[in-house]
Amino acid sequence: MKYKGIIFDLDGVLCSTDRFHFEAWKQTAEEVGAPFDETINMKLRGVSRMESLEIILSGSSKTFTDAEKERLATEKNDRYRKLLAQMSPADMPTAVRDALTALHNAGLKLAVGSSSKNAAYILERLDANRYFDAVCDGTMIAHSKPDPEVFTKAAAMVGLAPADCLVVEDAAAGLEAARAGGMDLPRHFAEAELSPRPVHTASARTERTVRIRKHDIPAFTALWVYDKIIEERIQENVSCETMEEYAEAQRTVSRRDHRLHLGRRGRGAHRR
């Protein structure tokens, strides 16, 4: 097996809290008189709270002191944490839990590498801490993504070199961080829902065309990692609208591979 450990980003990979971020930041934007929509919200993915605030404030005609910025960031986080209280274990897709269990049973070290300072609370709400050997979050680092610190520190926490780790990430800042840290990664799928196109694996040996709804991305990513690491196979040129279509495509491959395997066994027995 090529990898000894896998480091997962949290939001958008293991679960989705986009709706909570959007609502909390939208209220901040309204307060400061700045525009806010899904396009602006996407720019906030994978960056720190204060950097996200600066992106929003860039659309306002007002100026703010450092103290006012701290207040705005704190109020946003307070709103966000109240919304996070709605989360439960049901917010982590079954496909994600199954994949994490299989990866753990295969002997891989699993870690979370998230810039969020709310990562511990989210994992608690999801009842997901039990899957991970280490969690490195925004409270433990001096530099947010795209700096590789969160990933290199997560690797160190599980006693592995960066080259022995695969990073699973869905945001541009996180992909840049993984590359800067010398880690392997599958290309992210977040943009595929907007513009279906080939998505190349890190090895560039295969490609797939994927169209997945945004709320399905965590489960899709989990299945992709499971297929890549545990089954050591990737179905090429898969075009999916839903998780159900992807799962059925992979079941078709499994049935085909199983039949081929049985066929080889039968021919071998006949020759003997």
Side-chain angles (χ1 to χ4, degrees), residues 106-238:
L108 289 155
K109 295 289 187 181
L110 304 182
V112 171
S114 171
S115 295
S116 173
K117 294 182 178 180
N118 294 299
Y121 183 58
I122 294 172
L123 290 169
E124 177 187 333
R125 298 297 306 168
L126 296 172
D127 187 27
N129 281 299
R130 55 199 167 101
Y131 297 108
F132 301 101
D133 300 289
V135 175
C136 184
D137 64 20
T139 67
M140 305 175 184
I141 57 175
H143 307 287
S144 296
K145 302 170 187 176
D147 189 281
E149 182 183 6
V150 71
F151 291 141
T152 56
K153 185 166 284 190
M157 289 170 72
V158 295
L160 295 176
D164 291 326
C165 297
L166 176 77
V167 168
V168 183
E169 171 66 73
D170 72 320
L175 294 172
E176 185 178 341
R179 293 190 191 98
M183 299 178 182
D184 208 350
L185 50 85
R187 294 290 293 273
H188 68 99
F189 307 102
E191 295 176 3
E193 60 171 318
L194 302 177
S195 178
R197 56 187 172 80
V199 180
H200 296 272
T201 66
S203 65
R205 287 194 296 261
T206 61
E207 69 177 36
R208 59 169 77 222
T209 302
V210 185
R211 189 162 57 248
I212 300 292
R213 288 196 302 259
K214 191 172 186 178
H215 69 271
D216 281 334
I217 289 173
F220 174 79
T221 304
L223 282 174
W224 192 95
V225 173
Y226 176 85
D227 289 332
K228 177 71 173 173
I229 304 301
I230 301 300
E231 298 295 334
E232 297 184 343
R233 61 148 200 256
I234 288 293
Q235 166 69 359
E236 297 186 19
N237 301 320
V238 175

Side-chain angles (χ1 to χ4, degrees), residues 6-104:
I6 303 181
I7 303 172
F8 294 87
D9 176 43
L10 180 57
D11 190 21
V13 172
L14 298 174
C15 65
S16 179
T17 62
D18 272 358
R19 64 193 187 279
F20 303 137
H21 275 298
F22 183 89
E23 182 59 34
W25 279 126
K26 184 173 183 292
Q27 292 184 48
T28 299
E30 289 173 351
E31 180 180 344
V32 302
F36 191 74
D37 56 21
E38 285 287 357
T39 300
I40 297 172
N41 192 50
M42 285 296 293
K43 296 179 181 179
L44 312 184
R45 295 182 63 82
V47 301
S48 71
R49 190 181 310 152
M50 294 307 296
E51 289 171 319
S52 295
L53 178 62
E54 291 293 348
I55 291 172
I56 291 174
L57 295 182
S58 68
S60 174
S61 60
K62 303 175 183 177
T63 57
F64 299 88
T65 65
D66 288 344
E68 288 172 326
K69 290 178 182 179
E70 288 289 345
R71 175 186 61 79
L72 289 167
T74 298
E75 290 176 350
K76 180 271 174 183
N77 193 54
D78 289 344
R79 288 192 295 271
Y80 177 59
R81 284 183 67 89
K82 287 180 181 178
L83 293 168
L84 288 178
Q86 302 174 23
M87 296 190 78
S88 72
D91 286 295
M92 177 178 275
T94 300
V96 174
R97 294 186 187 276
D98 290 347
L100 292 173
T101 298
L103 294 168
H104 175 78

